[in-house]
Amino acid sequence: MEDCIFCKIIKGDIPSKTVFEDDVVKVFLDVNPNTEGHMLVVPKKHITDFTEMDDETLTHIHHVIKDMKELIYDKLGAIGLKIVNNYGCEQLVKHYHVHLIPVYKEGTFEYPYVSSDNLDEILDKLTK
Ligand code: AMP
Ligand code: ZN
């Protein structure tokens, strides 16, 4: 879709910090992270929300989420994960995506924001 920022990222017209990619999804770091390693799992097909999505794509996305959970635990030392999809309200980008927001300390999570200065460092930890 022409005016969609995530479609542009998927096409490569806008750069992204790509963690993982296959034929169906692209996973990249969120530019405005809630915690270190906050990433978005995005289907390559432009779909607005989960109500429009076929079961095969939904299943694949959830397999990728499982793999990303392993990566986030192993490489970043997270102890938990917020798996968030904004539907109906607070969805700023109208291309379906799942936020994976690592949690590092029990009982302290209130959707904080952290610096985006170290995205390259985080990407290196996740992909090297
Ligand atoms: P939502 O409110 O669920 O639609 O969240 C959209 C998310 O996309 C926000 O967390 C933004 O920080 C993130 N975002 C917007 N533009 C970009 C971009 N160019 N690269 C990475 N993440 C982005
Ligand atoms: Zn799109």
Side-chain angles (χ1 to χ4, degrees), residues 82-99:
K82 299 292 179 198
I83 302 173
V84 176
N85 167 241
N86 288 321
Y87 172 69
C89 59
E90 295 175 8
Q91 184 182 358
L92 299 178
V93 179
K94 306 293 185 203
H95 180 136
Y96 181 81
H97 53 282
V98 179
H99 295 256

Side-chain angles (χ1 to χ4, degrees), residues 6 8 10-11 13 18 20 22 24 31 34 43 47 49 57 64 79 81 83 100 106 109 113-114 116-117:
F6 286 177
K8 287 180 184 163
I10 286 156
K11 267 180 78 187
D13 292 346
T18 305
F20 172 79
D22 64 15
V24 179
V31 281
N34 287 119
I47 298 166
D49 63 61
T57 306
V64 172
I79 59 157
L81 202 57
I83 302 173
L100 301 183
E106 186 86 48
F109 194 88
Y113 282 100
V114 295
S116 56
D117 292 348

Side-chain angles (χ1 to χ4, degrees), residues 43-60:
K44 290 192 167 175
K45 273 188 276 191
H46 181 93
I47 298 166
T48 307
D49 63 61
F50 71 93
T51 64
E52 295 172 7
M53 188 137 26
D54 60 279
D55 290 349
E56 203 182 323
T57 306
L58 273 177
T59 301
H60 185 79

